Tab-separated table of all heavy atoms in Angstrom:
chain	number	residue	atom	x	y	z
B	1305	PHE	N	-10.855	-1.063	-14.873
B	1305	PHE	CA	-11.370	0.359	-15.246
B	1305	PHE	C	-12.026	0.443	-16.600
B	1305	PHE	O	-13.118	0.932	-16.755
B	1305	PHE	CB	-10.130	1.352	-15.239
B	1305	PHE	CG	-10.559	2.710	-15.656
B	1305	PHE	CD1	-11.231	3.649	-14.897
B	1305	PHE	CD2	-10.386	3.150	-17.110
B	1305	PHE	CE1	-11.486	4.854	-15.389
B	1305	PHE	CE2	-10.652	4.367	-17.495
B	1305	PHE	CZ	-11.187	5.260	-16.712
B	1308	LEU	N	-15.393	-1.566	-16.543
B	1308	LEU	CA	-16.457	-0.728	-15.931
B	1308	LEU	C	-16.869	0.359	-16.775
B	1308	LEU	O	-18.154	0.735	-16.799
B	1308	LEU	CB	-15.985	-0.328	-14.417
B	1308	LEU	CG	-15.940	-1.398	-13.389
B	1308	LEU	CD1	-15.332	-0.813	-12.143
B	1308	LEU	CD2	-17.313	-1.914	-13.177
B	1318	MET	N	-28.208	2.192	-23.321
B	1318	MET	CA	-29.456	1.456	-23.259
B	1318	MET	C	-30.550	2.118	-22.643
B	1318	MET	O	-31.750	1.971	-22.924
B	1318	MET	CB	-29.216	0.101	-22.766
B	1318	MET	CG	-28.368	-0.994	-23.558
B	1318	MET	SD	-28.969	-1.112	-25.248
B	1318	MET	CE	-30.451	-2.123	-24.895
B	1358	VAL	N	-28.156	4.666	-1.837
B	1358	VAL	CA	-29.133	5.724	-2.122
B	1358	VAL	C	-29.677	5.606	-3.540
B	1358	VAL	O	-30.841	5.638	-3.708
B	1358	VAL	CB	-28.323	7.044	-1.978
B	1358	VAL	CG1	-29.096	8.155	-2.526
B	1358	VAL	CG2	-28.067	7.401	-0.466
B	1379	ASP	N	-44.652	0.091	-24.092
B	1379	ASP	CA	-44.045	1.217	-25.019
B	1379	ASP	C	-45.096	1.816	-25.892
B	1379	ASP	O	-45.306	1.483	-27.003
B	1379	ASP	CB	-42.895	0.440	-25.788
B	1379	ASP	CG	-43.266	-0.813	-26.419
B	1379	ASP	OD1	-44.331	-1.346	-25.938
B	1379	ASP	OD2	-42.628	-1.190	-27.393
B	1381	GLU	N	-45.030	5.131	-26.173
B	1381	GLU	CA	-44.574	6.526	-26.312
B	1381	GLU	C	-44.286	6.825	-27.674
B	1381	GLU	O	-43.690	6.246	-28.578
B	1381	GLU	CB	-43.038	6.578	-25.646
B	1381	GLU	CG	-42.356	8.039	-25.713
B	1381	GLU	CD	-40.876	7.883	-25.342
B	1381	GLU	OE1	-40.529	6.891	-24.830
B	1381	GLU	OE2	-40.259	8.813	-25.525
B	1400	LEU	N	-20.240	16.832	-26.589
B	1400	LEU	CA	-19.132	15.978	-26.344
B	1400	LEU	C	-17.880	16.469	-26.800
B	1400	LEU	O	-16.756	16.303	-26.101
B	1400	LEU	CB	-19.570	14.538	-26.874
B	1400	LEU	CG	-18.442	13.443	-26.635
B	1400	LEU	CD1	-18.178	13.240	-24.984
B	1400	LEU	CD2	-18.914	12.088	-27.154
B	1435	ASN	N	-16.420	18.481	10.873
B	1435	ASN	CA	-15.693	19.615	11.262
B	1435	ASN	C	-15.754	20.779	10.252
B	1435	ASN	O	-16.219	21.855	10.701
B	1435	ASN	CB	-14.267	19.156	11.455
B	1435	ASN	CG	-14.062	18.352	12.651
B	1435	ASN	OD1	-14.648	18.659	13.739
B	1435	ASN	ND2	-13.225	17.151	12.622
B	1448	LEU	N	-33.849	17.716	3.047
B	1448	LEU	CA	-34.534	16.410	2.839
B	1448	LEU	C	-35.766	16.511	3.577
B	1448	LEU	O	-36.843	15.919	2.933
B	1448	LEU	CB	-33.638	15.411	3.485
B	1448	LEU	CG	-32.522	14.761	2.536
B	1448	LEU	CD1	-31.748	13.706	3.235
B	1448	LEU	CD2	-33.122	14.243	1.338
B	1457	VAL	N	-47.224	17.016	0.175
B	1457	VAL	CA	-48.283	17.989	-0.130
B	1457	VAL	C	-48.684	17.959	-1.666
B	1457	VAL	O	-49.810	18.120	-2.014
B	1457	VAL	CB	-47.617	19.451	0.220
B	1457	VAL	CG1	-48.413	20.601	-0.389
B	1457	VAL	CG2	-47.434	19.649	1.715
Side-chain angles (χ1 to χ4, degrees):
Chain B
F1305 172 82
L1308 286 174
M1318 291 304 290
V1358 170
D1379 46 341
E1381 179 189 355
L1400 181 58
N1435 285 319
L1448 279 178
V1457 167

